Amino acid sequence: MAYRTTRGMSAPPEVVFSTATDPSRVEGWVPAPLRQRADEHRVTVLPERLRVEWRPTGQAGGWSGSLQVAEGDAGGAQVEITVDGDGTVASGEPVDELVDDALTELDRAVADNLTAG
């Protein structure tokens, strides 16, 4: 089952993408039930397209998905997260809520990143 959530953010697309892909910030915005072990998933970062894609390797199972950042209104960014899997996570939390929460936390991380520097 696929889930897609889009949200506008009031920071330039490059700042949002940089924050989203900063390894020190990933745990802060990606909900634990959706985080993937690097040895079980292939992650492709496409900075020229402001896109990240992940998918299971081999028979690992789990969730595949993408994060796409694009220009938004008034110099901001439009962020879309899409995840696809069997509809359940070990925690039992609804995936659509987890994906929406991820964008809320990413928005906070972007705001913190702008405030810090």
Side-chain angles (χ1 to χ4, degrees):
M1 179 172 271
Y3 299 92
R4 177 175 289 142
T5 300
T6 303
R7 179 171 301 168
M9 296 189 186
S10 57
E14 295 78 11
V15 171
V16 174
F17 184 77
S18 175
T19 302
T21 58
D22 180 343
S24 68
R25 295 181 186 268
V26 169
E27 282 191 30
W29 73 269
V30 178
L34 295 180
R35 274 187 240 136
Q36 309 293 339
R37 289 183 39 192
D39 61 337
E40 294 178 352
H41 287 77
R42 175 177 299 150
V43 177
T44 304
V45 180
L46 305 162
E48 69 281 357
R49 293 178 50 204
L50 301 179
R51 183 175 179 84
V52 178
E53 301 171 347
W54 60 92
R55 66 180 176 276
T57 57
Q59 299 297 318
W63 292 86
S64 61
S66 64
L67 174 125
Q68 179 68 56
V69 182
E71 284 192 36
D73 295 331
Q78 188 74 16
V79 183
E80 178 181 270
I81 294 179
T82 303
V83 296
D84 193 13
D86 65 7
T88 61
V89 292
S91 65
E93 296 171 75
V95 175
D96 56 341
E97 291 179 21
L98 289 170
V99 173
D100 191 55
D101 289 348
L103 282 179
T104 298
E105 293 305 319
L106 177 57
D107 198 16
R108 284 188 189 131
V110 167
D112 289 348
N113 193 17
L114 287 174
T115 303

